[in-house]
Amino acid sequence: MYAEEGVGIATVARWLNDKGYRTRRDMPFRRDTVVSILSNPIYCGDMYYNRRTNIKNAKPKEVIYAKGIHEPIISEELFYWVKDKYDDKSKVKDRVEDEDRISILSGLLKCPLCGAGMIAHSKRNRSPITGEWVKTSYGYCCPNHQKINGRTCQYVKQLNQEVIDAAVLEYIMRVREMASFTSYMDEQLLKTDDYKKIENEIQSLRKQYYRVENKKDKANRSIDALNVLDDNYDEDFVDLSDQVDVLYDQLDLIEDKIQKAKKHREKLSASRFTLEKIKSTLEQFPEIYEKMSCKDRREMMRLLIERIDVFPERREDGKIIKSVTFRFPMYKLDKHGNPKRMLDQTVGYKMRCDNIGRTVAESKASYTQIKQYVWDMHQVKVNNLYIAQIKRKYGIIERKNYNVTKKGDDFRQPSCPQYKENFIIEALKHFKMIGNEVKA
């Protein structure tokens, strides 16, 4: 089927699911399942070994090829023709627009129904007036709701990338000012009492080691002072030698304890340094983030954040983000005094966003919400033109309007009446789109 003209991976997956076929695990066919089948040479009678491995950072092994003794179900010509077709279609193509644009939170944002990492989705729009392609809207959607993946999830919403990205960015800037975050990090990393305790333990062990070493040296001097001609020489020599052996064993035991205590102190020092590094990173984050490219921003988010949970439905107060789970990397100082990241060691913190104030991005209301607020509070109707005029007047950036009038420059637009302007300003203050100090 894939060999036919105009048929792609998505078409094959949809056809299989529509016909009721399921995988061996009784799951709908997904795009990656179809790709795995089409690229498996076993169906044409060929066997390959060491093509892939599940071992992390494993050294590549020589790929071994063998002709299978099983009967192939397709010809080699068809298999490798399909493989070449897929390889050609899967090549990365140049972007038509927004070459540097990357969806920085794809995968981190989790579907509220199935828990899958949400993926980027874009949609091009046409102007209803001119019919031309005018803009592209970007969002995050659940991959399990896509038809190509069998629609195993019923979460149909697409979350606006601009709103989500801005909201998460603001929560990152807020977290360092939260008392709960500071106390949690101090409890997890600072551990002042433990540090003092281990310092005192090391000092005590060193004193103990010094006393035992003095006893050992004294016993060795006693051995040197023995008179070889004394009748009790052999007996005294054996007794003193046994004492020295016991003291050497005690020194080894104390040395082991000192080394363990030093390792513990090193971990505590790393924790204290990590805390300073986290605070410094969060403090400089806005300035650093502003200078980053989209690719660097995405890497930074993956370094600091483990997952982002959202509400299934936008709350009445406009909140979308439910929680942000941070995953800060641990650091230590190397022998040269330079910070070094400790691989596979992190410290986590879950920031609950449902009980704190909403962000500016979440507060941005649509025209419909503003009109509904004015009607609910004053039983007055305002149109989109008046709202746009007031937003522009107070510096609220508007998206480019593609549905412009064709009536020419002489066309005069009505101005918003003063009393309606007051009502719109009240609505904008309610949705935190302007400050409370603004007066009409």
Side-chain angles (χ1 to χ4, degrees):
M1 181 177 181
Y2 183 71
E4 296 177 9
E5 186 69 27
V7 177
I9 299 294
T11 305
V12 175
R14 283 196 295 268
W15 184 87
L16 290 169
N17 291 325
D18 292 343
K19 293 294 182 180
Y21 292 104
R22 290 293 183 267
T23 64
R24 287 181 297 178
R25 298 181 180 179
D26 197 30
M27 297 292 291
F29 278 88
R30 299 166 60 98
R31 184 183 187 280
D32 52 357
T33 311
V34 177
V35 171
S36 177
I37 293 173
L38 293 178
S39 59
N40 193 342
I42 196 172
Y43 298 111
C44 69
D46 293 340
M47 303 287 290
Y48 287 90
Y49 300 92
N50 298 331
R51 286 199 307 161
R52 61 178 68 92
T53 179
N54 293 328
I55 302 175
K56 197 172 184 179
N57 299 326
K59 293 182 179 179
K61 297 182 180 180
E62 181 182 358
V63 178
I64 301 174
Y65 164 78
K67 196 67 178 178
I69 60 174
H70 62 285
E71 184 179 353
I73 60 176
I74 60 172
S75 65
E76 287 189 5
E77 292 77 15
L78 177 60
F79 173 79
Y80 286 106
W81 189 91
V82 166
K83 185 177 182 302
D84 291 340
K85 175 184 176 181
Y86 173 73
D87 291 342
D88 183 62
K89 285 183 172 293
S90 61
K91 291 179 181 177
V92 178
K93 297 179 175 59
D94 295 335
R95 295 189 179 188
V96 177
E97 55 180 310
D98 295 340
E99 293 183 358
D100 297 328
R101 193 183 192 288
I102 296 177
S103 302
I104 61 175
L105 298 180
S106 58
L108 297 177
L109 207 66
K110 303 300 179 181
C111 173
L113 297 188
C114 69
M118 302 184 76
I119 60 175
H121 182 271
S122 61
K123 180 183 178 182
R124 296 192 67 190
N125 303 302
R126 289 182 183 272
S127 169
I129 297 178
T130 64
E132 299 176 351
W133 295 106
V134 290
K135 64 177 180 177
T136 303
S137 57
Y138 298 93
Y140 296 108
C141 68
C142 178
N144 292 330
H145 180 70
Q146 292 183 327
K147 193 171 182 180
I148 188 176
N149 293 328
R151 292 201 190 280
T152 56
C153 180
Q154 301 304 314
Y155 190 69
V156 302
K157 291 185 176 297
Q158 294 186 16
L159 305 179
N160 185 284
Q161 279 194 23
E162 183 181 351
V163 175
I164 297 296
D165 293 353
V168 171
L169 181 62
E170 187 170 339
Y171 280 126
I172 294 175
M173 296 178 182
R174 282 188 188 183
V175 68
R176 65 186 178 91
E177 301 173 356
M178 296 177 60
S180 58
F181 171 76
T182 304
S183 61
Y184 178 83
M185 285 299 167
D186 288 347
E187 179 184 350
Q188 294 294 314
L189 298 174
L190 195 55
K191 300 180 180 178
T192 304
D193 294 339
D194 290 349
Y195 193 83
K196 291 180 179 178
K197 183 179 178 180
I198 202 67
E199 281 283 3
N200 293 333
E201 182 182 346
I202 292 173
Q203 292 295 331
S204 176
L205 287 170
R206 283 175 175 168
K207 290 178 180 178
Q208 186 179 349
Y209 186 91
Y210 179 74
R211 288 194 296 267
V212 174
E213 190 173 33
N214 281 339
K215 289 181 181 180
K216 184 258 298 178
D217 293 341
K218 185 177 180 180
N220 282 327
R221 288 194 297 269
S222 298
I223 291 176
D224 295 337
L226 288 176
N227 187 357
V228 179
L229 302 176
D230 195 339
D231 294 339
N232 298 324
Y233 173 80
D234 292 336
E235 184 179 345
D236 292 341
F237 181 82
V238 171
D239 289 342
L240 289 172
S241 296
D242 290 342
Q243 290 180 28
V244 171
D245 291 340
V246 171
L247 292 171
Y248 269 116
D249 291 340
Q250 290 181 7
L251 288 175
D252 290 340
L253 183 62
I254 296 172
E255 183 66 29
D256 289 340
K257 290 182 178 179
I258 291 175
Q259 293 303 319
K260 289 181 180 178
K262 284 183 175 180
K263 287 182 179 180
H264 189 194
R265 183 180 64 179
E266 184 180 346
K267 289 182 179 179
L268 292 176
S269 298
S271 298
R272 294 159 71 92
F273 182 76
T274 297
L275 181 60
E276 296 176 3
K277 189 74 173 176
I278 291 173
K279 291 181 177 179
S280 174
T281 301
L282 293 176
E283 185 176 349
Q284 301 174 14
F285 184 83
E287 182 180 353
I288 297 174
Y289 188 86
E290 187 68 26
K291 298 178 181 178
M292 285 181 171
S293 63
C294 282
K295 185 177 180 180
D296 292 336
R297 290 177 179 179
R298 181 172 180 170
E299 292 301 320
M300 173 67 82
M301 289 296 186
R302 275 153 178 70
L303 182 67
L304 298 180
I305 297 177
E306 181 177 352
R307 63 181 292 139
I308 303 166
D309 293 289
V310 297
F311 292 105
E313 297 288 341
R314 191 164 188 167
R315 297 199 320 188
E316 292 183 0
D317 61 357
K319 267 200 172 293
I320 307 173
I321 308 297
K322 183 178 182 181
S323 65
V324 179
T325 303
F326 291 91
R327 179 186 54 196
F328 298 105
M330 295 280 289
Y331 291 89
K332 67 176 182 180
L333 294 176
D334 60 16
K335 61 182 180 181
H336 301 295
N338 300 318
K340 181 180 179 181
R341 183 181 171 188
M342 302 170 67
L343 299 177
D344 300 328
Q345 293 194 38
T346 59
V347 56
Y349 174 74
K350 186 173 183 179
M351 179 185 185
R352 298 188 60 87
C353 306
D354 51 355
N355 54 0
I356 59 178
R358 61 189 173 183
T359 62
V360 174
E362 292 173 312
S363 302
K364 288 184 178 179
S366 64
Y367 282 75
T368 302
Q369 290 174 304
I370 295 174
K371 289 189 286 187
Q372 187 63 46
Y373 177 86
V374 173
W375 174 257
D376 292 340
M377 299 300 295
H378 305 286
Q379 286 72 51
V380 173
K381 291 184 178 181
V382 293
N383 57 36
N384 291 348
L385 174 62
Y386 291 163
I387 296 174
Q389 289 176 352
I390 304 307
K391 290 174 72 175
R392 194 179 303 114
K393 179 178 179 179
Y394 291 96
I396 300 176
I397 299 175
E398 288 281 282
R399 293 190 181 96
K400 182 179 178 180
N401 182 15
Y402 294 95
N403 302 324
V404 293
T405 181
K406 295 182 178 180
K407 297 183 179 180
D409 297 335
D410 296 335
F411 176 70
R412 297 182 61 185
Q413 293 181 342
S415 299
C416 180
Q418 185 61 46
Y419 76 99
K420 289 190 176 182
E421 179 178 343
N422 294 337
F423 296 154
I424 295 172
I425 290 175
E426 180 185 333
L428 296 179
K429 289 181 179 179
H430 171 75
F431 291 110
K432 296 185 177 179
M433 298 178 72
I434 57 175
N436 292 326
E437 70 280 359
V438 174
K439 295 181 180 180

